[in-house]
C-alpha cells in the first residue's frame, strides 16, 4: 500500500510546475502587453505624428510614427499578412503552453505572446481599418536603423532567450539535454575509481 500511494503522488510536482509555468506566462504577457498598450496610448495622446522628443539626448528619443509593416518598420504595405501571422503565433503559444514546465521557457512564451498581441491589437483596431491598422512605433535608439515599440522589445528579448535556452539544451520541462561533449568532459574529470585488485604496485 505505501508503494502505491507514493506512485500516485509522483505526478503532483509535475502538474504543479505546469500550473506555475502557465501562471508565469499569463503574468509576463499581461505586464508587457499592458505596458505596450499604455505607452502607445500616451504617445498618441501627447505627441504629434512625426514629432521627436529627446529623452537621453540623441541616444534615446521618442519618435512617433505609424508603421504599416512588421516589427522595426520592415515590409511596409503587408499589414494584413502580419495580422494573420500574429494570430497564428498567439494560437500556437496558447496551445503549446500546456506543455511548459520550465519557468524560463514560460518567460519566453510570455514575452512572445505579449509582443504578438500588442502589435496585433494595433493592426486590428487602429486606422485605416480592421486587420490593416498601422502599428504605433515610438522608440528610437541612436545608431539603430528602425523605430520600435515595447511589443517589439518583448518579441526580441523572448527570441534571444529562446536561442540561449536551445543552445544550452534546456527542455520545455526544465531538464538539460546531455550531449556527447558534456559526457566526455565529465568522464575526463572524474576520479579513477577502479577497484584495487590487491596487486603490488612498483
Amino acid at each position: 500500500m505505501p508503494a502505491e500511494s507514493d506512485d500516485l503522488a509522483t505526478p503532483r510536482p509535475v502538474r504543479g510546475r505546469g500550473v506555475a509555468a502557465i501562471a508565469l506566462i499569463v503574468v509576463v504577457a499581461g505586464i508587457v502587453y499592458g505596458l505596450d498598450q499604455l505607452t502607445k496610448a500616451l504617445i498618441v495622446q501627447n505627441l504629434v505624428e512625426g514629432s521627436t522628443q529627446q529623452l537621453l539626448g540623441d541616444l534615446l528619443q521618442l519618435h512617433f510614427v505609424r508603421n504599416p509593416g512588421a516589427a522595426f518598420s520592415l515590409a511596409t504595405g503587408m499589414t494584413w499578412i502580419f495580422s494573420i501571422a500574429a494570430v497564428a503565433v498567439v494560437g500556437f503559444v496558447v496551445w503549446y503552453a500546456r506543455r511548459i514546465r520550465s519557468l524560463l521557457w514560460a518567460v519566453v512564451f510570455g514575452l512572445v505572446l505579449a509582443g504578438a498581441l500588442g502589435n496585433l491589437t494595433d493592426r486590428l483596431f487602429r486606422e485605416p481599418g480592421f486587420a490593416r491598422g498601422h502599428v504605433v512605433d515610438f522608440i528610437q535608439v541612436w545608431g539603430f536603423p528602425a523605430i520600435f515599440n515595447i511589443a517589439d522589445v518583448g518579441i526580441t528579448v523572448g527570441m534571444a532567450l529562446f536561442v540561449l535556452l536551445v543552445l544550452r539544451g534546456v527542455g520545455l520541462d526544465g531538464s538539460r539535454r546531455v550531449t556527447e561533449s558534456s559526457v566526455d568532459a565529465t568522464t575526463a574529470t572524474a576520479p579513477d575509481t577502479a577497484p584495487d585488485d590487491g596487486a603490488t604496485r612498483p
Side-chain angles (χ1 to χ4, degrees):
M1 291 300 293
E4 292 181 0
S5 62
D6 291 342
D7 291 341
L8 292 175
T10 301
R12 291 180 184 174
V14 176
R15 289 197 296 269
R17 289 197 300 269
V19 172
I22 292 176
L24 184 57
I25 292 174
V26 173
V27 170
V28 171
I31 292 174
V32 177
Y33 175 79
L35 184 60
D36 174 70
Q37 293 300 300
L38 176 61
T39 52
K40 288 175 178 176
L42 292 174
I43 290 297
V44 172
Q45 292 174 5
N46 295 284
L47 291 182
V48 177
E49 184 175 354
S51 64
T52 301
Q53 180 176 329
Q54 293 185 337
L55 293 181
L56 296 175
D58 293 334
L59 179 63
L60 179 62
Q61 303 180 71
L62 298 179
H63 186 178
F64 176 22
V65 297
R66 296 183 186 271
N67 172 23
F72 304 115
S73 303
L74 300 175
T76 58
M78 303 177 65
T79 307
W80 65 274
I81 295 179
F82 294 109
S83 297
I84 296 174
V87 171
V89 170
V90 171
F92 173 81
V93 171
V94 172
W95 175 79
Y96 215 77
R98 60 183 179 176
R99 303 187 182 187
I100 303 298
R101 300 294 182 271
S102 165
L103 296 184
L104 286 176
W105 275 107
V107 172
V108 172
F109 274 58
L111 289 171
V112 173
L113 178 60
L117 283 175
N119 287 335
L120 178 62
T121 300
D122 285 15
R123 293 188 177 103
L124 292 181
F125 301 112
R126 293 190 185 276
E127 298 178 354
F130 184 79
R132 297 181 294 109
H134 293 177
V135 175
V136 173
D137 288 334
F138 57 91
I139 303 174
Q140 185 169 24
V141 178
W142 182 84
F144 193 76
I147 303 171
F148 53 97
N149 56 44
I150 300 298
D152 298 332
V153 174
I155 293 174
T156 303
V157 174
M159 294 310 299
L161 184 56
F162 167 85
V163 173
L164 178 63
L165 292 177
V166 170
L167 292 177
R168 292 180 62 86
V170 179
L172 295 177
D173 60 353
S175 62
R176 294 287 299 273
R177 185 177 67 249
V178 179
T179 61
E180 292 183 2
S181 58
S182 62
V183 172
D184 293 341
T186 302
T187 303
T189 57
D192 185 5
T193 57
D196 189 356
D197 57 4
T200 302
R201 299 182 183 275

